Amino acid sequence: MAALAAGLGLAVAGCSAGQITQTDTQVAAVNGASGTVGDIAVRDAQLLFPVAEGYYRQGDDAPVVVLIANNAAEQADKLLSVTADIAGGGELSGDVELEPFTAIQSGTDQDDAGSHPTGSSAPTTSATTGSATTTGSATTGSVTPTSGGTTTTGSPVPPGDASALPTTTKLPASAAPTEPGKVKITLKGLTQDLRPGQTLRMTFLFEKAGPLVLDVPIGASPEPRAEPEAGH
């Protein structure tokens, strides 16, 4: 009987060898930073994972992935700038206007992660139609309530999901749902290396709501985790 049981055990082990389990292709989840200031909700803010190097080097540009919603019923707002404590500046392009009950989303191409800045790094501030570049460091310090609103943590929204609005966003019954506007946000010229597991302090500045300071992580790698093969 003992020999028979041992034989059955080997047969079962042999059948399971080589099978693909559900965890073989899982990607580690990283929750981005979320907060609110006034009627503006910032959800799941994170840096795009730098696949080429696995981390950001000093001098690299870092694309930001985030969803921003205006929950106000009447007052429009505008994203003026995005800066960080370890970046030379921030660049905005695309849709930065936040009409009532609308949202904008930044989801950048993977090829942009870890790219090096071009042009002069001298402190300048410029704005053109549909784009803006702000150079300078974000205000350091802890996240604190600001005039016109408070900073709180909310539930993250999966990056890349253009249809996922923050749970606090309510559309009027008479209004048809709309897709978030597209904006591209890039931190220019990191002043030090930044690796997965570390965060940088980022400031989102809005025309009406004011500043919102968040500690923003690097997002998860899009590549599946390698799982060790089961022993025989």
Side-chain angles (χ1 to χ4, degrees), residues 4 10 47 89-90 93 102 109 113 120 126 144 160 164 176 184 215 228:
L4 177 61
L10 289 174
L47 301 184
S93 62
T102 64
D109 293 335
S120 172
S126 62
T144 56
K184 185 173 182 179
D215 291 325

Side-chain angles (χ1 to χ4, degrees), residues 181-222:
K182 299 300 181 183
V183 61
K184 185 173 182 179
I185 305 173
T186 307
L187 298 178
K188 309 295 287 186
L190 296 180
T191 58
Q192 65 184 58
D193 292 352
L194 187 67
R195 298 179 179 275
Q198 298 177 318
T199 62
L200 77 171
R201 183 146 295 186
M202 192 179 300
T203 300
F204 296 81
L205 180 61
F206 300 94
E207 187 175 53
K208 304 289 178 55
L212 174 64
V213 181
L214 296 173
D215 291 325
V216 176
I218 295 177
S221 170

Side-chain angles (χ1 to χ4, degrees), residues 3-100:
L4 177 61
L8 289 174
L10 289 174
V12 171
C15 291
S16 63
Q19 289 184 350
I20 299 176
T21 64
Q22 188 175 11
T23 58
D24 283 336
T25 56
Q26 285 183 345
V27 176
V30 175
N31 293 332
S34 298
T36 59
V37 55
D39 292 314
I40 301 299
V42 175
R43 293 289 178 260
D44 202 30
Q46 54 190 272
L47 301 184
L48 197 65
F49 186 87
V51 172
E53 298 288 342
Y55 71 100
Y56 285 101
R57 296 180 179 180
Q58 180 179 349
D60 280 350
D61 295 342
V64 180
V65 179
V66 67
L67 180 73
I68 304 173
N70 182 5
N71 295 319
E74 298 180 356
Q75 180 170 274
D77 211 326
K78 181 178 182 180
L79 178 62
L80 297 179
S81 67
V82 178
T83 54
D85 57 350
I86 61 166
E91 182 178 82
L92 304 177
S93 62
D95 190 359
V96 294
E97 301 290 341
L98 286 159
E99 297 298 326

Side-chain angles (χ1 to χ4, degrees), residues 116-180:
H116 292 281
T118 57
S120 172
S121 59
T124 58
T125 302
S126 62
T128 59
T129 303
S131 65
T133 302
T134 305
T135 303
S137 298
T139 303
T140 58
S142 59
V143 181
T144 56
T146 59
S147 175
T150 57
T151 300
T152 58
T153 300
S155 301
V157 175
D161 186 359
S163 63
L165 289 176
T167 55
T168 55
T169 302
K170 298 179 181 179
L171 293 174
S174 59
T178 58
E179 292 292 325

